[in-house]
């Protein structure tokens, strides 16, 4: 792949591995004015494990480390990314109908269904093929300018949208989000096996709601029981990128739309790994 690759084979004459790979024929093209260097999918085998939170915090961390960051909110029917960043105004468009991503106060670019609905509380009642096409539109019909890392917040499971993302976007790797319950080992296995079948690299695992830290003594209390993340990681030969505690301040800042101003070191190791991809 060329150092200046923008994942748009139609605008390039080089015969690189991306062009000769059979999977490239399914890739949705980027707009000629767009440039995205790395695409990272944030996935989970089930809902309610904090995938959107992990997406938000990773984006904030990489932005803090002076990278240009974008978030493609692929959770079409349950978008929560704009709320976390305090974005409510509808997306602007260009004269030729392209979308201009919303920009957070610190400069993170975001595209989400909640930013194109007449009212952000309106439900999205669309069938799978329509949702899949919206994902492609968010990729191809938005002007993503000089993005170093694009994080794709995907809905849970192994259905239409994850399949569309894996086939239509040049995903450089995925991060799987889990919670401590024993049931999660089976759920994570489904996400791992789907990624393997789709030949998408797995960067590592993140455990959310891992523990609560006592405010008085600092003891870590595993309120959901003993963590199984290390066992799962060892089984599949994957690194554990972070263990996120339950922190009321995080929930408050998401509700207030100020998550990008939350400071933590949970994702320092993950950030270094992403920078070395």
């Amino acid at each position: 792949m060329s150092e200046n690759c923008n994942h748009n084979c139609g605008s390039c004459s080089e015969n690189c591995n991306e062009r000769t790979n059979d999977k490239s024929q399914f890739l949705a093209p980027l707009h000629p004015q767009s440039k995205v260097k790395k695409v990272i999918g944030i996935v989970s085998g089930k809902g309610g494990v904090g995938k959107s939170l992990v997406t938000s915090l990773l984006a904030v961390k990489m932005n803090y480390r002076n990278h240009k960051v974008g978030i493609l909110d692929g959770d079409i029917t349950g978008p929560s990314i704009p709320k976390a960043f305090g974005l409510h105004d509808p997306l602007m468009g260009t004269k030729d109908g392209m979308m201009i991503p919303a920009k957070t106060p610190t400069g993170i670019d975001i595209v989400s269904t909640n930013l194109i609905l007449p009212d952000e509380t309106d439900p999205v009642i669309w069938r799978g093929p329509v949702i899949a096409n919206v994902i492609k539109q968010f990729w191809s019909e938005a002007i993503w300018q000089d993005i170093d890392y694009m994080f794709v917040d995907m809905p849970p499971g192994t259905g239409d949208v994850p399949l569309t993302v894996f086939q239509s976007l040049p995903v450089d790797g995925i991060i799987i989000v889990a919670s401590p319950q024993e049931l999660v080992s089976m759920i994570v296995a489904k996400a791992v096996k789907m990624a393997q079948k789709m030949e998408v690299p797995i960067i590592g695992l993140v455990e959310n709601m891992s523990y609560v830290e006592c405010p008085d003594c600092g003891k870590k209390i595993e309120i959901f029981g003993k963590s199984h993340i290390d066992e799962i990681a060892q089984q599949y030969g994957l690194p554990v990128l972070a263990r996120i505690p339950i922190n009321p301040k995080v929930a408050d800042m998401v509700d207030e739309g100020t998550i990008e101003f939350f400071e933590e070191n949970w994702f320092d190791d993950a950030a270094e790994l992403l920078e070395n991809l």
Side-chain angles (χ1 to χ4, degrees), residues 20 26 51 69 104 114 136 144 146 154 170 179 198 225 273:
T20 58
F26 299 107
K51 173 182 44 57
V69 177
T104 73
N114 252 22
K136 296 177 186 178
W144 298 101
D146 298 319
M154 293 199 282
S179 57
M198 300 300 297
L273 187 58

Side-chain angles (χ1 to χ4, degrees), residues 143-212:
I143 309 298
W144 298 101
Q145 293 188 328
D146 298 319
I147 300 295
D148 296 317
Y149 293 92
M150 174 181 284
F151 294 97
V152 183
D153 182 17
M154 293 199 282
T158 55
D160 283 343
V161 174
L163 182 61
T164 297
V165 171
F166 289 162
Q167 288 185 328
S168 303
L169 274 59
V171 179
D172 294 282
I174 65 168
I175 292 173
I176 300 175
V177 183
S179 57
Q181 294 94 331
E182 187 172 0
L183 168 68
V184 170
S185 60
M186 179 186 69
I187 303 300
V188 170
K190 291 180 181 292
V192 169
K193 290 179 180 179
M194 180 179 186
Q196 290 172 340
K197 288 183 178 180
M198 300 300 297
E199 298 181 352
V200 175
I202 303 172
I203 298 170
L205 307 177
V206 171
E207 184 176 71
N208 189 32
M209 300 177 284
S210 187
Y211 58 89
V212 172

Side-chain angles (χ1 to χ4, degrees), residues 76-87:
I76 303 300
T77 60
S80 56
I81 294 296
K83 169 71 174 176
F85 288 90
L87 299 176

